[in-house]
Amino acid sequence: MHWITRFSAIFSAALAMILLSPSLQSFSPAAAIRSSHPYADEFKPQQNSDHSSFRESPMFRNAEQCRSSGEDSGVCNPNLVHVAITLDIDYLRGSIAAVNSILQHSMCPQNVFFHFLVSSEIQNLESLIRSTFPKLTNLKIYYFAPETVQSLISSSVRQALEQPLNYARNYLADLLEPCVKRVIYLDSDLVVVDDIVKLWKTGLGQRTIGAPEYCHANFTKYFTGGFWSDKRFNGTFKGRNPCYFNTGVMVIDLKKWRRFRFTKRIEKWMEIQKMERIYELGSLPPFLLVFAGHVAPISHRWNQHGLGGDNVRGSCRDLHSGPVSLLHWSGSGKPWLRLDSKLPCPLDTLWAPYDLYKHSH
């Protein structure tokens, strides 16, 4: 059995090197290792946000064919690609790895503008980001006040889903400057292994948001029996073809969002949830209630999700079939915690090359 473990580790490391090669940024998961094994220990979130905890990111610069990012014109420059991501103490290591992956795989990294959403310790987090990415000038920190949404949050199946910052994506249209008309929202537990501009250029048509949809998933399970049996609610999806989509990767038309006041629509469903208990998960169901059936479909390659495993402690997940542009460790397990425990899942080694935490590995 020992030689099998060694072979698995070598194979996973080789696959990670393939992902890092610019000429092989997208690959067929048929070449990936496909196995599952249990890990036994509980993992504690990494809490250290000291500047010295992270090493400086590798150098990055625009290719010659890139249009000028026009740094003097700031956030309103039309050549910018806008990416929003949260900075939370428990997930900070993941956020930094996500940013690093985007910069390393972008042909025009200096044209990417990062909108960082925080709910505490804004000065310390901004200082940490600037010291880790000293060449990154296109960034801004936005404070999201927890009280904005605190009274609307209901208990969930996982405590992490109850954190106010998890709902900041609902308020991007209010937080970001009016001149920002489109944004890519990304969770903190993912890495991008393709040029982010490809996702940015996704056509949304008449839709407000775009995301990979999973129409084979059991959509009914995202709501309680009370929801489906109540005449006030069960007609919500009438005339729609609702499919599950993961809100950790979305392209959002902020101009349309503001025009149709979608934040208020989401808040309305959260108010109903407080009184009626129509779902069990956190920020996802209100998005499904408002947008499912009205989502611009994006290729599944842009959200190979579920790699964190399900709620059964010890489970590892495999890749879905098809090419890969983004790897997403949604679920209860996070790659940095499993790697530190020395009991990683096979695909966690694909996250490791982007990790800038000094004491890792």
Side-chain angles (χ1 to χ4, degrees):
M1 291 299 293
H2 182 64
W3 72 268
I4 295 176
T5 303
R6 291 185 61 191
F7 177 79
S8 176
I10 293 170
F11 192 78
S12 295
L15 183 55
M17 293 303 296
I18 292 174
L19 279 176
L20 290 172
S21 172
S23 63
L24 293 171
Q25 289 174 343
S26 300
F27 65 96
S28 169
I33 186 168
R34 295 180 175 276
S35 64
S36 299
H37 70 277
Y39 55 93
D41 297 337
E42 291 282 357
F43 301 115
K44 301 296 182 182
Q46 166 60 39
Q47 300 284 351
N48 194 343
S49 61
D50 183 9
H51 297 187
S52 62
S53 297
F54 294 90
R55 58 185 179 273
E56 191 174 303
S57 69
M59 288 293 294
F60 58 87
R61 63 179 180 180
N62 279 0
E64 291 183 2
Q65 59 266 48
C66 297
R67 293 183 178 181
S68 171
S69 62
E71 293 176 4
D72 293 338
S73 61
V75 69
C76 294
N77 186 278
N79 295 325
L80 294 174
V81 172
H82 296 277
V83 176
I85 190 168
T86 60
L87 294 180
D88 175 80
I89 296 300
D90 291 345
Y91 288 83
L92 185 60
R93 190 164 159 188
S95 297
I96 288 176
V99 172
N100 188 30
S101 72
I102 292 169
L103 294 172
Q104 297 308 313
H105 287 279
S106 294
M107 181 178 291
C108 306
Q110 293 172 286
N111 288 13
V112 181
F113 195 104
F114 290 94
H115 304 264
F116 294 111
L117 312 174
V118 305
S119 59
S120 63
E121 302 180 28
I122 184 170
Q123 292 180 339
N124 289 340
L125 288 173
E126 180 172 5
S127 216
L128 186 149
I129 289 295
R130 292 191 182 278
S131 64
T132 305
F133 300 98
K135 302 299 182 182
L136 181 59
T137 57
N138 286 330
L139 70 90
K140 185 175 178 179
I141 309 292
Y142 300 79
Y143 177 70
F144 177 68
E147 57 268 23
T148 304
V149 72
Q150 189 75 63
S151 64
L152 295 172
I153 297 176
S154 302
S155 60
S156 183
V157 293
R158 283 169 43 209
Q159 188 175 2
L161 300 177
E162 300 172 22
Q163 300 306 310
L165 197 58
N166 196 42
Y167 294 82
R169 73 195 83 189
N170 303 2
Y171 298 88
L172 287 170
D174 300 322
L175 292 168
L176 274 53
E177 289 77 359
C179 65
V180 180
K181 299 177 181 179
R182 170 182 281 221
V183 68
I184 298 171
Y185 176 82
L186 298 177
D187 271 352
S188 300
D189 52 359
L190 55 77
V191 292
V192 177
V193 294
D194 205 342
D195 196 330
I196 195 72
V197 75
K198 297 177 184 178
L199 180 58
W200 174 256
K201 290 181 177 180
T202 298
L204 300 183
Q206 299 300 311
R207 305 305 191 190
T208 300
I209 69 169
E213 292 184 294
Y214 302 89
C215 295
H216 295 296
N218 181 6
F219 189 80
T220 60
K221 73 177 183 180
Y222 293 100
F223 303 95
T224 63
F227 172 88
W228 294 112
S229 63
D230 194 318
K231 293 180 180 180
R232 294 174 298 167
F233 308 133
N234 58 21
T236 301
F237 299 106
K238 185 177 181 180
R240 295 155 65 176
N241 183 25
C243 296
Y244 161 75
F245 63 94
N246 181 282
T247 55
V249 179
M250 296 186 291
V251 180
I252 305 173
D253 184 328
L254 293 176
K255 187 176 179 179
K256 286 192 178 75
W257 186 292
R258 295 173 180 125
R259 177 184 175 187
F260 294 106
R261 299 169 59 85
F262 281 113
T263 296
K264 293 297 183 183
R265 299 190 192 187
I266 289 173
E267 287 181 335
K268 182 62 178 177
W269 279 113
M270 293 178 70
E271 291 171 357
I272 292 173
Q273 161 71 357
K274 293 286 286 187
M275 297 182 292
E276 305 287 347
R277 195 68 184 178
I278 57 175
Y279 54 80
E280 300 296 340
L281 293 173
S283 60
L284 170 64
F287 261 86
L288 296 178
L289 287 161
V290 173
F291 292 109
H294 299 306
V295 175
I298 293 176
S299 170
H300 289 177
R301 71 188 302 149
W302 285 106
N303 197 351
Q304 284 275 343
H305 70 292
L307 302 184
D310 57 26
N311 290 327
V312 179
R313 183 166 56 90
S315 70
C316 293
R317 291 285 183 87
D318 302 324
L319 290 174
H320 306 287
S321 61
V324 180
S325 291
L326 184 150
L327 296 156
H328 188 186
W329 278 261
S330 57
S332 57
K334 302 306 170 189
W336 56 92
L337 302 178
R338 296 194 294 226
L339 286 164
D340 285 353
S341 76
K342 308 300 182 185
L343 292 169
C345 289
L347 294 176
D348 292 346
T349 56
L350 304 182
W351 179 89
Y354 305 101
D355 184 15
L356 295 177
Y357 186 60
K358 277 186 178 179
H359 306 297
S360 60
H361 320 313

